[in-house]
Amino acid sequence: MNRTLSYQIPAEDNNKTVVTFLKEQGFSRHILIDLKKTKNSILRDGIWLYFQDILHTGDTIFVSLIENTGSDGILPVDLPLTILYEDEDILVVNKPSGMPTHPSMDNYDNTLANAVLMYYKKQGIPFTFRCLNRLDRDTTGLTVIAKNALSSALLSSAIRTRQIHRSYLAIVSGITPESGTIDAPIARKDSSVIEREVNFSSGERAVTHFRRLAERNGLSLVLLTLETGRTHQIRVHLSYSGHPIAGDFLYGSELESLPGRFALHASRIRFRHPLTGEMIELTSPLPAPLAALLNAPTS
């Protein structure tokens, strides 16, 4: 995936070196190394610039990010792929249940990465898979993928500084309070490489806000927003609160009507585009099999 960016140098950046200017635009050390090794990667008036060249007010420079190879070891596979948004820098898809994000042991050809690489292979484009918000295998919803190294670096920084706002919908056991905050540290469980737990002695701080939207059939539909992004945070916190996610047997659900999935959905994301600054807001409705839990007739 190749991308060419243009920058017009403003007065406040007059007399800065090329490398200083690019660092201030969010170019990481890794990207800068690649640019340094690539002929004609930075041009002004058709002339290849070096890192220590001086920029002047009104200059226009063109920076080419070139990737001629894709992700090693990820097999392109023709799998369903629901695209909600795409431009030169970002791809946002609606991940289904039962699809891991990345390949792993026993999951070599059934992942979101496999599907995305096939999507670009059909276009003749080598693609490096860079997923910004990895969802668990059975969690559905909005997943953001960076299409080049710069958008990946800038979006990763936005996540660290909490500038990407995400909301989730979950159906949980029991009737929750109308709203609240769960502030409880999370650590890896000693007996498992996968499972996490609330641990006040060794855990990292984790904060989840929730609001109940509906309740029926002994279940609650809750809207969740995160202040932190710990592994399995929502699942652990809801289980800790006494309201595990429906179908999440790892964390204590007893509901048996959701074979092979649990009721957690990444429903909304809002962030500024890393390169244009445009505000992007996308939503995804609760999948029908999950909504049916609340709509089913009571016995």
Side-chain angles (χ1 to χ4, degrees):
M1 181 68 69
N2 298 335
R3 177 76 159 100
T4 298
L5 302 155
S6 65
Y7 297 93
Q8 186 169 43
I9 307 304
E12 58 266 29
D13 291 322
N14 186 47
N15 288 325
K16 286 184 178 177
T17 63
V18 169
V19 69
T20 297
F21 176 79
L22 293 181
K23 284 180 179 178
E24 291 176 353
Q25 307 313 305
F27 285 71
S28 68
R29 180 176 175 274
H30 175 75
I31 300 172
L32 292 171
I33 290 172
D34 283 346
L35 288 174
K36 192 172 185 179
K37 294 187 298 185
T38 304
K39 185 177 180 180
N40 293 326
S41 58
I42 309 166
L43 297 176
R44 177 180 57 193
D45 298 328
I47 299 171
W48 185 13
L49 292 178
Y50 295 94
F51 278 5
Q52 298 308 316
D53 286 341
I54 301 299
L55 300 173
H56 303 291
T57 302
D59 284 351
T60 299
I61 64 172
F62 296 89
V63 182
S64 295
L65 303 173
I66 298 173
E67 292 183 348
N68 294 319
T69 59
S71 293
D72 289 335
I74 300 180
L75 179 70
V77 181
D78 202 356
L79 298 170
L81 187 66
T82 302
I83 295 173
L84 301 182
Y85 176 88
E86 183 176 14
D87 61 23
E88 290 184 285
D89 303 294
I90 300 169
L91 176 73
V92 183
V93 303
N94 200 19
K95 190 186 84 65
S97 178
M99 176 181 275
T101 301
H102 293 90
S104 61
M105 187 177 296
D106 299 326
N107 292 291
Y108 298 110
D109 58 4
N110 61 337
T111 73
L112 182 60
N114 299 120
V116 171
L117 261 66
M118 176 57 82
Y119 171 67
Y120 288 110
K121 181 180 180 180
K122 290 179 178 178
Q123 301 175 53
I125 300 172
F127 190 80
T128 299
F129 185 73
R130 301 178 177 97
C131 184
L132 276 301
N133 61 320
R134 177 173 176 168
L135 300 180
D136 293 334
R137 176 188 182 119
D138 293 321
T139 300
T140 57
L142 298 168
T143 306
V144 181
I145 298 157
K147 292 179 64 174
N148 56 66
L150 182 58
S151 62
S152 177
L154 293 172
L155 286 170
S156 295
S157 176
I159 289 174
R160 289 193 298 271
T161 55
R162 300 178 186 175
Q163 297 177 54
I164 295 184
H165 307 284
R166 292 171 285 172
S167 299
Y168 295 78
L169 292 172
I171 297 174
V172 304
S173 300
I175 309 305
T176 70
E178 289 188 3
S179 62
T181 295
I182 304 168
D183 187 343
I186 292 175
R188 187 192 301 272
K189 199 169 185 178
D190 288 341
S191 59
S192 174
V193 296
I194 298 173
E195 194 172 354
R196 267 59 175 178
E197 65 179 357
V198 168
N199 189 316
F200 285 91
S201 61
S202 63
E204 295 181 285
R205 189 172 187 232
V207 181
T208 304
H209 305 286
F210 69 89
R211 178 164 56 92
R212 190 180 77 225
L213 302 179
E215 56 92 1
R216 194 175 184 210
N217 299 332
L219 301 169
S220 298
L221 173 65
V222 292
L223 176 69
L224 302 126
T225 57
L226 307 180
E227 279 193 28
T228 54
R230 308 302 175 202
T231 300
H232 291 187
Q233 177 173 320
I234 291 175
R235 299 169 65 185
V236 172
H237 271 176
L238 289 172
S239 177
Y240 172 74
S241 73
H243 301 283
I245 296 171
D248 188 0
F249 301 115
L250 182 63
Y251 291 107
S253 173
E254 297 179 355
L255 185 71
E256 298 181 355
S257 57
L258 278 176
R261 71 186 303 164
F262 50 79
L264 179 61
H265 179 68
S267 61
R268 178 178 175 270
I269 192 163
R270 184 172 183 269
F271 61 95
R272 287 201 178 276
H273 192 285
L275 294 171
T276 69
E278 175 191 359
M279 186 60 71
I280 295 175
E281 183 169 355
L282 299 167
T283 60
S284 172
L286 196 67
L290 303 186
L293 291 174
L294 292 174
N295 297 329
T298 56
S299 56

